[in-house]
Amino acid sequence: MIDDRDELLVRKFFDENKIELPDDGFSRRVMRRLPDRARRLNRIWTAVCLVAGALLCAVFDWFGTLSAVVKESVSLVSADPVLSGHPYLLWQLLIMIILIGGYKVLAKE
């Protein structure tokens, strides 16, 4: 009851003593600089980093090394009696990794 009365008194005080300040385009400038611009710059920076990473991979032949690692991993998995006997287990694992990675990417946006 007392809180309601105090709230009404505070609201009445602020309503009576309201001062209008000239905007002079300040709101428009603030809205222009809000996160949309930051998001766009973030995407540009991400694209630049991806291109730089791809160029480094091409220059230092990391793609060949990566393909050798993948081939070795596939041969190890195919030699494993548990996974080679149940190929659906490997597919389920791969799909789960893709789904979790996709969720993380979408949740970040």
Side-chain angles (χ1 to χ4, degrees):
M1 178 83 169
I2 295 174
D3 290 335
D4 292 335
R5 189 178 65 187
D6 289 342
E7 181 69 29
L8 288 174
L9 287 172
V10 168
R11 188 174 295 150
K12 181 180 175 187
F13 172 78
F14 281 118
D15 286 341
E16 290 172 355
N17 297 307
K18 191 174 189 179
I19 299 173
E20 292 293 328
L21 296 174
D23 188 42
D24 295 331
F26 176 76
S27 298
R28 183 175 37 89
R29 289 191 308 269
V30 168
M31 292 304 290
R32 225 180 327 154
R33 292 184 178 258
L34 281 179
D36 188 43
R37 182 171 185 242
R39 181 179 294 148
R40 189 178 23 199
L41 290 175
N42 187 16
R43 287 183 179 165
I44 291 170
W45 179 246
T46 302
V48 167
C49 289
L50 284 173
V51 168
L55 286 174
L56 283 173
C57 287
V59 168
F60 293 111
D61 194 32
W62 292 342
F63 293 118
T65 305
L66 182 63
S67 67
V69 169
V70 169
K71 286 178 186 176
E72 179 71 24
S73 299
V74 168
S75 68
L76 285 174
V77 167
S78 63
D80 186 10
V82 173
L83 292 178
S84 64
H86 304 284
Y88 292 114
L89 196 65
L90 185 61
W91 282 108
Q92 287 175 349
L93 178 66
L94 183 63
I95 289 171
M96 185 176 66
I97 289 171
I98 290 170
L99 289 176
I100 290 173
Y103 172 76
K104 290 285 190 179
V105 168
L106 291 175
K108 191 175 182 179
E109 289 289 321

